[in-house]
Amino acid sequence: MRFASRLHLRYLFFLILLGFLLLSLPIGAATSQAAGQKKPAGQPPMRFILVNRLLCMEDCPGWISAEGRITSDTPVQLRKILKKIGDRKLPIVFRSEGGDVDAAYAMGRMIRKAGLETAVGGTRLKDCPANDPRCDAAIAKDGTALGNTYSDGAYCFSACPLAFAGGTSRVASQWALIGVHQITTVYNKVRVSYRIEYKIVNGKKKEISRKEVGRKSAGQSSSTKLGKKATAALTGYLKEMGVDEDVIGMMMSAAPDSIHIVPSGDGLRTGLMTEMLAFNEWPGMPLCAPDAAAETVCRRRPAAQAPVAASAPVAAAAVQNAAVYGESLPKTQPMDFLLMFNGNCQEECSQWISADGDITPDTPARLKAFLETLDGRKLPIVLQSYGGDLNAAFAMGRMIRAAGLETSVGRTRLPNCPMQDPRCKASMAKSGPTEGEVFAGGAYCFSSCTFVLMGGTPRLVGNSVVGLNQPGKSELTEAEREKFLSYFLEMGVSSDAFDTMMITPPSGRGDLLQYQQMALGIINGAIPYGEEPGLHVCGPGAKESLRCPRNQKAVEIAPAAGLAN
């Protein structure tokens, strides 16, 4: 025993030193981050706020505003807010630069288990300044607040889309950004020092105690290569959430210090998003329940069975749109063309072509015959239509472009016509122009009508609704896709209009805001406030004046009744 003790003391200093120098172990799991070294805004850690919509009296949906960087503590904070809301199904509205991937996985699973919807959007609380839209002063002691959400400029980057993917419904507008990039795995190295005691028994060294006596950071290392374990975790999570593995390819295409913005079409195709928000929907607006009351504030109201017997596919689509959006739409009929005038044509009056109704295969022939009666006069065409035959719309757009005519959207009303039939046949002139008024407000141009609108030079829209949706099916052949892209190129419209078209199902309207129409090139000008579409080309009999700077040659006009149905 004496020999063993002496040997123990002799080697003690050496063994302790060995422990200090050689036992350097990484403590804890490696941290995976989808956020790179450069962060968009240096957000503080994510904070959750329960928000109710401002200026909404009753039956108004609330939401959970989730803004900030995702940290390892964020799932704990989310669990607290979910416990607070109990069984209430409040959507979670994300605005985040990303952060901890493992935390995002945990959040997504919690959201899916709770059956909550997610959206990308920012929240602006009541009376908060522009530079601090979620100011502390607006938040009550119980953690609630009043406010509104917005899409334009909102973002969900890096690890945020992984948490977002947990939603049972996952929505964003075209003007919010979803971005992904490579996952960075950060390894934190820690040098740990131990005091180790041994004893020698029968000539062999045996450890009898080990005690930690210190630890020191030994730096970090990182890697963007997905190991087997990280790949399995990511692939399994996406599958669990119903998201296609193609998202991984998008992530790997962008370095950690850059971002790959996911186009809306790709977001829908991969299941990262389930649908797009319409122009009159906002982040945090929940899906309508099947039994939702008419006054409930919600989106995608279930279509009711309409009693109207529609004879054409476009009429059926119009009835479905009416049910979805809760509107009372007039009975549709094939498009007809009327030469209209407004004002005193002995002094000053404007003339335009009113094109109203469904686009059918024979509509281009009707338009051609009508234009021939004008003897080359270039009158604006004012459209109002739910759409119809796509090939006919392409032909009409090309015909209008070749003739150098202006297009716009407006509803024409004839005198003494009932509200339900504003272009009643009883008020149509039997020959020559028909008197009437035209208004941008309440007018619409949906589906294939928008392709006709694209043919104008110029093409102008005021306070009217323009929309694009899928042409009857969500999957197009390459030849069909090329057909659309060629038409857009021919009309000077951005190819991005194709993705915009494909994100709205055939039953939807796909409403576009005016600046969206302008950005895509669908229109190239706006009708000024206080003016109406088509009211700027004077009739041939008008005197020269400031409103009518040059007199135009009078022409014989074919009877309008002969061209109308």
Side-chain angles (χ1 to χ4, degrees), residues 90-119:
L90 298 183
I92 299 182
V93 180
F94 282 106
R95 179 176 175 271
S96 171
E97 65 185 25
D100 189 290
V101 170
D102 293 330
Y105 289 157
M107 293 169 65
R109 291 186 170 106
M110 291 164 62
I111 292 168
R112 182 62 59 89
K113 184 177 180 180
L116 304 185
E117 302 170 28
T118 55

Side-chain angles (χ1 to χ4, degrees), residues 90-384:
L90 298 183
I92 299 182
V93 180
F94 282 106
R95 179 176 175 271
S96 171
E97 65 185 25
D100 189 290
V101 170
D102 293 330
Y105 289 157
M107 293 169 65
R109 291 186 170 106
M110 291 164 62
I111 292 168
R112 182 62 59 89
K113 184 177 180 180
L116 304 185
E117 302 170 28
T118 55
V120 179
T123 296
R124 186 174 291 110
L125 301 183
K126 181 183 178 183
D127 298 329
C128 285
N131 61 349
D132 187 14
R134 298 201 319 161
C135 60
D136 290 341
I139 304 171
K141 290 183 179 179
D142 62 357
T144 63
L146 295 175
N148 289 312
T149 58
Y150 61 90
S151 290
D152 195 9
Y155 54 86
C156 181
F157 289 162
S158 189
C160 175
L162 298 174
F164 170 77
T168 54
S169 167
R170 307 176 286 279
V171 299
S173 98
Q174 298 177 73
W175 308 108
L177 301 175
I178 296 178
V180 296
H181 59 185
Q182 294 174 357
I183 293 176
T184 301
T185 303
V186 178
Y187 299 93
N188 295 302
K189 297 180 180 179
V190 179
R191 187 178 298 276
V192 182
S193 303
Y194 299 92
R195 181 185 180 89
I196 306 171
E197 294 186 1
Y198 304 97
K199 70 177 179 179
I200 303 298
V201 179
N202 298 326
K204 294 182 180 180
K205 183 173 65 174
K206 182 177 180 181
E207 182 178 323
I208 60 174
S209 69
R210 176 185 293 241
K211 181 180 180 181
E212 182 180 325
V213 293
R215 60 177 56 202
K216 183 178 180 181
S217 174
Q220 288 184 337
S221 64
S222 63
S223 174
T224 58
K225 293 182 179 180
L226 283 178
K228 290 183 179 180
K229 186 176 180 180
T231 300
L234 178 58
T235 304
Y237 178 79
L238 294 176
K239 183 177 180 180
E240 183 182 345
M241 298 301 154
V243 179
D244 195 278
E245 290 183 19
D246 286 354
V247 171
I248 298 178
M250 298 180 198
M251 295 171 69
M252 299 307 293
S253 69
D257 58 352
S258 64
I259 200 79
H260 172 83
I261 300 300
V262 180
S264 301
D266 287 347
L268 291 168
R269 176 180 59 80
T270 59
L272 186 58
M273 296 165 54
T274 56
E275 60 186 287
M276 293 292 296
L277 292 173
F279 86 103
N280 57 345
E281 299 169 345
W282 58 83
M285 178 185 276
L287 276 170
C288 292
D291 58 349
E295 65 273 12
T296 304
V297 179
C298 57
R299 58 187 172 82
R300 300 295 187 265
R301 191 173 299 280
Q305 292 295 324
V308 180
S311 58
V314 67
V319 170
Q320 187 174 22
N321 281 339
V324 170
Y325 287 89
E327 298 174 355
S328 177
L329 302 178
K331 185 178 179 180
T332 56
Q333 62 180 11
M335 181 173 282
D336 62 4
F337 303 95
L338 290 177
L339 177 63
M340 301 298 303
F341 79 90
N342 177 263
N344 179 359
C345 285
Q346 299 304 314
E347 299 294 336
E348 292 181 335
C349 79
S350 300
Q351 288 193 338
W352 72 96
I353 301 167
S354 173
D356 195 298
D358 301 331
I359 300 169
T360 63
D362 66 344
T363 305
R366 290 176 176 272
L367 175 60
K368 181 179 179 182
F370 183 84
L371 294 180
E372 288 175 352
T373 68
L374 300 180
D375 194 28
R377 289 188 63 213
K378 296 183 182 296
L379 295 181
I381 298 180
V382 182
L383 298 157
Q384 177 163 264

